[in-house]
Amino acid sequence: MASVGLNASEKVCAVCDKVLWFELQPEDVYGTPHHASRQALEASAKSCRLCNMVLRAAIANYQDSRGRRGGKGYWRQFNAIKYHDGSSLRDITYLKELGACVPATGTDYPMGVGRAVLGATGNINSDGMHVEDEREVPNLEALTVDDSETANLPVWLYGNWWAEYEPSAPGDTKPLRLMGVGARFGKTQSHFDALNTRPDQVHLRGSNLGICTNDDSLFSTIPGRLREANSDSDIAISRLEKWLKDCEQNHPFCARPYVTPVLPTRVIDVFASDRGVALFQTHRQRGEYVTLSHCWGTSSRLMATKESIKDLEEGIAISFLPKTFQDAIKITRRLGIKYLWIDCLCIIQDDPDDWEREAAAMSQVYRNSYLTISAAASRDSYTGCFPKREKDSYVSPATISLGYATPREATGPMSQTLTYEHTSQLGKKNSVYLFEEWLPGSSYHFPQKMAMGSFGKRFDPIADEPLSTRAWTLQERLLSPRIVHYARDQMYFECESCVKSEDGFIFGDIYFGMKRLIETQRIPHNQHGLSQSGGLSFIVGQDAGGKYPGIRWQGGWLSLIENYTMRNLTVSGDKLTALAGVARALAEETGDRYFAGLWGKHFIEDLCWRMYPQEEIEDRRDMKNTPMMGKVLGTVRRPTQYRAPSWSWASLDGPVRHIPLSYSKLVSKIVDCSTVPAGKDPYGRVSSGKLDIQGPIFEVRPHVPKKRWDRHGIPVEINLEDERGIATGALHLDVSDESISYPCYALFLDPSKALILRTRDLEPKRNADGTEDPNTLISKPIPTCKDIKFNVAKSPDMKGYVFKALFDVVRIGVGAFVKATKENPDEKSGEEKEPEQWDEAKHGKLTLDKILHVSGDGSWGPITTDDPIVWVTIV
């Protein structure tokens, strides 16, 4: 491979020209020499753009670990290992700089190295994300390099090599991929001699230069690519074809079915004529077809009606169709697929029977599709599939995952293109693009994983696109075996195995996939709720499960509902219908029963949801818990017409979050549940529903805190009427704008979490003098544990009876209660005392059993299975 001449504007100096940028050694191996000193590098940087980039990268390497990156702290990873240094063996620490977000999974392939320990350098929120730091700590970008330290130090280059898959053994280089280039000052090429490095450390500071190559490049170890400005270019279509081929040949869960699928009732024949297409009645013929997922928008659009159906079958000029439809036809034709399915053209929109029948078949339409075209960036049918990208600048997926917003400019003023010609293929040009972008480092001995989430947070790259705001498009995405997303920043390809970005990053953790969804619906009883093997919690009321409490929150039904309820519906009554295709597919796969958004085999877990219109943040500095409100996520509304029973999340509009239960300690049980469909589809709209459930019930009263209230929610309490005393709780109303009236009742699902209920029919409040107040309506009485204990005490033969409420009840919210702890002197006065240091001489050695805590799926709640149960019917 030899370097060829560059344009005068891109000319590099002789030092840069000699470097094989695509073969640099890893950071913890010997560096490649660049300029002999910082002074020489600075002189060359005046005329060589690449030298200027190397200088900035070397300074950033020096600055790293000396302040705050972007005004925030960041995570560090520590690995203590035995290091072979020639003939000797010594103890050293590998220190790796990470981003502002805590990695969602293990960062490295361990290869025999001990378990890593993570440490934060600044303030973090409950999600592990560093926040702006108020302390007087300078930003890395503001720190200057000490001239006396670096003036005569040589400059060394290294590569940032990550692993695409797990190496078979230490030293296996086949999985390694070059993600970036770094530079450092140092006396010698050894990483131990890098400036600002301790002798007992290997300090992995990462790479400050990103690297990409072209699609047909011979540099197979460089996965990075430049995104296409125009997603309908030949290169973009070629990428889509390669993604499809790779998916079919190398993904065992994504291969084409052996039998050609039955076509939907109607499809569009994209090859009907050179300039036109035609609607085709299939009569259950078989064939491959493509589907379109798009936003309809509010403007008028062409659609199939009883009047227009014949005209569509006779054919229509492509130029008469909305731009999004034209682009979808162009993609389908270039893939050589004959048929395309578009909802508004293939379903008769003014025929209720046809609409209901085709909506019920939606699961098969998308599941059998060869490919779904996602017009992710389009707001309506006239915007088109291909967004205009006039600027080179965008924030890459890796940068977002790390918690930063620094834009990538791969062909901007701080970038360099190098062109090489292979000696065996004269005339074949292979380009390498270098640009400024920071990525965490990687060790040759235990390389960094490439998958998104292993070096930063998990996130959905399509979440902020216009298409992701629409409720109907969620099931279209979930059911499709393969999707190409035309997003605002770039193209993404999604299948059952992974999501790939056009610029070369891989999302291994699928947010939406039928395979994962089906797996999570088949879990055994002990894998529900909080993990029984979870960690510890020393904060009263906080579960030990962490951010991802259970399997069904991780790509399962609960995470699906939480995403779905963030989306918008044009027709409010479609709340269940827009998800019916997924529900039908799940029921067919698992044999489970479906009740207005909840599943029979997972009912109690699905039942414990709450409305979540705004992010809730907890500031835990100074050993105190201060509840704070964050980003507004949506508005909670009660629909004007009945849509679902009160125990279903579908009864309301607004963001939903599920609360994990201590499943090994459940105190309630389902007696019976039923719903009545409002139409022909058993997975769609319902006209009524009821739930019979048994569990401990206590009357809820308002609580006046003696100290600062340190929890989110309305302070309430229950009186247990025994040695357990009064337990306080935080109540979250389903609709916060609605006033709460007492009494209301807590039906406990586990020792802590409860549904808050009142009777469906209310009655006038009775005043102290026995008269009724017709202007104040309150709940009718519901039998409670207190009532049962009283009756059993009077008539012991009633022990073991099941007591049933006379009146139907409705859900109005949820609550979480904690058992009373030993009263401290300051609680009576309401004063807060600073925490005291443990006095070992006075109290003995500090052990875990002496610290208030819960572990695994342990609960802070006061309720037990010994408490009496009440049978209620929730409607």
Side-chain angles (χ1 to χ4, degrees), residues 9-31:
S9 61
E10 297 181 337
K11 207 72 175 178
V12 298
C13 69
V15 172
C16 289
D17 191 48
K18 291 179 181 178
V19 175
L20 297 179
W21 297 88
F22 48 88
E23 291 185 350
L24 296 171
Q25 295 295 305
E27 186 172 1
D28 56 346
V29 181
Y30 288 150

Side-chain angles (χ1 to χ4, degrees), residues 413-694:
M414 292 307 296
S415 67
Q416 181 69 58
T417 302
L418 302 173
T419 305
Y420 298 88
E421 185 175 294
H422 200 283
T423 53
S424 63
Q425 297 184 22
L426 298 179
K428 169 69 174 177
K429 304 294 176 62
N430 297 273
S431 296
V432 170
Y433 307 93
L434 294 168
F435 47 88
E436 293 193 328
E437 180 176 71
W438 180 80
L439 289 177
S442 177
S443 169
Y444 172 77
H445 305 285
F446 46 104
Q448 168 68 50
K449 299 175 183 177
M450 277 181 60
M452 200 68 62
S454 64
F455 54 89
K457 66 179 179 181
R458 288 189 181 105
F459 75 100
D460 176 13
I462 314 299
D464 294 330
E465 298 296 330
L467 192 66
S468 295
T469 65
R470 306 305 304 166
W472 275 98
T473 62
L474 176 60
Q475 76 167 358
E476 295 168 5
R477 179 179 178 183
L478 184 68
L479 292 167
S480 301
R482 283 171 290 270
I483 319 173
V484 56
H485 298 283
Y486 291 96
R488 284 172 291 192
D489 60 332
Q490 59 184 311
M491 290 195 307
Y492 293 88
F493 179 78
E494 180 175 4
C495 64
E496 288 283 0
S497 298
C498 64
V499 176
K500 293 183 178 180
S501 65
E502 191 178 357
D503 54 7
F505 290 101
I506 299 174
F507 297 73
D509 293 312
I510 305 300
Y511 267 76
F512 304 101
M514 283 301 295
K515 174 179 171 288
R516 175 66 177 170
L517 185 57
I518 292 169
E519 286 177 351
T520 59
Q521 287 295 98
R522 290 174 170 161
I523 61 172
H525 181 273
N526 62 0
Q527 290 185 11
H528 288 80
L530 294 164
S531 172
Q532 296 182 29
S533 59
L536 296 170
S537 172
F538 300 98
I539 301 174
V540 175
Q542 179 177 297
D543 297 322
K547 185 180 177 183
Y548 300 102
I551 292 176
R552 295 178 73 238
W553 277 264
Q554 303 171 42
W557 183 257
L558 303 184
S559 61
L560 176 71
I561 297 305
E562 291 178 359
N563 183 286
Y564 178 72
T565 54
M566 295 275 288
R567 298 172 177 238
N568 302 319
L569 276 167
T570 303
V571 180
S572 174
D574 288 346
K575 191 78 170 185
L576 289 169
T577 309
L579 205 59
V582 175
R584 178 182 294 275
L586 272 183
E588 291 172 350
E589 289 284 347
T590 64
D592 201 357
R593 296 185 64 191
Y594 185 68
F595 301 96
L598 287 71
W599 291 96
K601 295 178 181 178
H602 314 272
F603 203 93
I604 290 185
E605 182 165 72
D606 291 359
L607 190 63
C608 196
W609 54 269
R610 58 161 292 205
M611 304 309 293
Y612 193 75
Q614 190 172 2
E615 286 183 344
E616 295 175 357
I617 301 171
E618 295 176 346
D619 187 337
R620 295 175 184 152
R621 282 177 285 187
D622 302 323
M623 302 296 292
K624 297 177 182 178
N625 191 55
T626 304
M628 302 170 64
M629 303 308 293
K631 177 182 176 183
V632 175
L633 303 176
T635 303
V636 177
R637 301 184 187 90
R638 197 178 294 281
T640 56
Q641 295 183 333
Y642 180 89
R643 200 168 60 194
S646 66
W647 43 262
S648 168
W649 52 263
S651 63
L652 299 169
D653 287 320
V656 163
R657 291 293 183 273
H658 286 85
I659 304 171
L661 296 169
S662 299
Y663 237 70
S664 66
K665 300 171 180 63
L666 295 180
V667 296
S668 62
K669 67 177 182 178
I670 306 300
V671 178
D672 188 31
C673 183
S674 63
T675 54
V676 178
K680 298 177 181 178
D681 187 0
Y683 303 98
R685 303 182 185 193
V686 298
S687 59
S688 64
K690 70 171 187 174
L691 167 66
D692 288 309
I693 183 172
Q694 295 177 358

Side-chain angles (χ1 to χ4, degrees), residues 46 110 142 198 306 755:
K46 295 177 181 178
R198 288 170 42 179
K306 294 176 182 178
L755 304 183

